[in-house]
């Protein structure tokens, strides 16, 4: 476990955030995931600047950070440019999205076809619940965010199927001290929604278990100088 000292421990309880896994040149071996890069990157996003600053300061206060068999040292921080949000945005997954979790009567490992209305509806319900729980929006605003649709890239799905690769996997999650499982999806897609909803998704993560590192998104090519990161499921497991 990576423990970061924060000035205010309540920040973790009150902040909306998500983060990526450790990114670098890796290879799966018998003993687990082997890193071959001299440098590794983790991406963190939150609308709460105080929370982000506290995490960054905590990382730099540690002389070394032991993560599994890796001995890491904080080196640098890069703040990414924030895009302009519109009613139609295309996204890539930096980490898998979980459309539902711990819903009574549903199996957490159940596969939901991304092109189905159920997939979009589950993510809509999750997003509206999280937006309402954040306390940042009025009931009138929440009610106005009724236009919402997730449109997966069907060319990508067809290509993945032809290559006999997976875009949906079962992941183990430690939640409230218990090991649970959830199905996560990694695919490019478009979202049709109000700009306020797009902004919330971008900064807070998309779907469930965002505080566990799921649902982090990237927007391809909005910054021409930035190369978008695309998760390679075959090499990330």
């Amino acid at each position: 476990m990576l423990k970061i000292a924060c000035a205010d421990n309540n920040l973790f309880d009150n902040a909306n955030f998500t983060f990526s896994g450790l990114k670098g040149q890796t290879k799966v071996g018998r003993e687990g995931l082997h890193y071959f890069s001299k440098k590794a990157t983790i991406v963190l996003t939150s609308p709460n600047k105080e929370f982000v600053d506290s995490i960054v300061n905590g990382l730099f206060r540690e002389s070394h950070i032991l993560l599994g068999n890796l001995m890491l040292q904080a080196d640098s921080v890069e703040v990414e440019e924030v895009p302009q949000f519109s009613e139609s945005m295309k996204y890539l997954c930096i980490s898998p999205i979980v459309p539902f979790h711990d819903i009574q009567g549903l199996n957490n490992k159940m596969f939901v076809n991304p092109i189905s209305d159920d997939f979009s509806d589950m993510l809509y319900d999750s997003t509206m619940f999280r937006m309402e729980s954040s306390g940042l929006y009025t009931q009138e605003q929440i009610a106005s965010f009724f236009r919402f649709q997730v449109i997966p890239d069907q060319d990508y799905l067809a290509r993945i199927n032809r290559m006999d690769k997976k875009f949906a996997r079962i992941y183990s999650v430690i939640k409230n001290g218990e090991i649970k499982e959830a199905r996560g999806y990694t695919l490019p897609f478009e979202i049709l929604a109000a700009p306020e909803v797009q902004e919330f998704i971008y900064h807070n993560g998309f779907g469930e278990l965002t505080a566990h590192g799921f649902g982090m998104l990237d927007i391809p090519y909005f910054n021409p100088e930035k190369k978008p990161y695309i998760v390679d499921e075959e090499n990330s497991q």
Side-chain angles (χ1 to χ4, degrees):
M1 176 181 290
L2 175 62
K3 184 176 182 181
I4 302 170
C6 291
D8 183 357
N9 291 330
N10 291 327
L11 285 175
F12 276 100
D13 298 327
N14 300 325
N16 290 305
F17 66 97
T18 191
F19 57 94
S20 71
L22 204 62
K23 307 303 180 186
Q25 185 180 356
T26 61
K27 184 178 181 180
V28 178
R30 291 183 179 181
E31 298 179 357
L33 200 60
H34 299 275
Y35 277 82
F36 298 96
S37 303
K38 291 184 178 180
K39 289 190 176 183
T41 301
I42 187 169
V43 186
L44 170 71
T45 180
S46 173
N48 186 335
K49 185 178 183 301
E50 181 185 2
F51 174 80
V52 174
D53 290 344
S54 184
I55 295 293
V56 171
N57 291 334
L59 287 172
F60 277 89
R61 276 197 296 268
E62 301 291 334
S63 59
H64 291 87
I65 302 162
L66 183 63
L67 187 61
N69 293 324
L70 291 177
M71 185 71 75
L72 303 174
Q73 182 179 20
D75 176 66
S76 61
V77 176
E78 180 181 350
V79 179
E80 294 203 349
E81 180 183 352
V82 177
Q84 293 291 322
F85 297 99
S86 64
E87 294 187 350
S88 173
M89 303 288 293
K90 292 185 177 181
Y91 296 96
L92 302 172
C93 293
I94 293 182
S95 60
I97 56 174
V98 176
F100 73 95
H101 191 258
D102 280 353
I103 296 180
Q104 188 174 2
L106 291 181
N107 180 352
N108 287 332
K109 296 185 287 186
M110 180 180 71
F111 175 79
V112 182
N113 194 327
I115 66 174
S116 69
D117 289 339
D118 288 341
F119 189 82
S120 185
D121 290 345
M122 287 176 172
L123 286 166
Y124 171 76
D125 290 342
S126 170
T127 302
M128 291 302 107
F129 177 80
R130 294 176 62 226
M131 291 183 74
E132 186 173 10
S133 299
S134 73
L136 301 175
Y137 307 90
T138 66
Q139 289 296 322
E140 290 76 14
Q141 286 176 302
I142 295 295
S144 71
F145 299 148
F146 58 86
R147 183 174 184 259
F148 185 97
Q149 186 176 4
V150 178
I151 306 174
D153 186 331
Q154 296 198 38
D155 290 338
Y156 172 86
L157 295 179
R159 185 169 66 254
I160 288 293
N161 287 330
R162 286 196 304 269
M163 298 171 66
D164 198 27
K165 291 187 176 182
K166 297 180 179 179
F167 63 87
R169 292 175 179 269
I170 304 297
Y171 297 88
S172 295
V173 181
I174 299 177
K175 186 176 181 182
N176 299 326
E178 297 182 19
I179 298 178
K180 299 187 177 184
E181 293 182 316
R183 183 177 289 276
Y185 300 75
T186 305
L187 70 163
F189 53 88
E190 180 182 5
I191 296 179
L192 303 180
E196 296 91 336
V197 177
Q198 307 275 11
E199 184 175 11
F200 180 87
I201 289 169
Y202 182 81
H203 287 299
N204 297 273
F206 193 32
E208 297 296 298
L209 301 175
T210 56
H212 293 74
F214 291 90
M216 172 165 266
L217 304 180
D218 194 12
I219 298 174
Y221 309 121
F222 86 86
N223 183 353
E225 297 181 358
K226 175 188 173 185
K227 183 178 180 180
Y229 181 86
I230 302 175
V231 170
D232 183 347
E233 284 290 336
E234 293 300 310
N235 294 326
S236 64
Q237 301 304 312

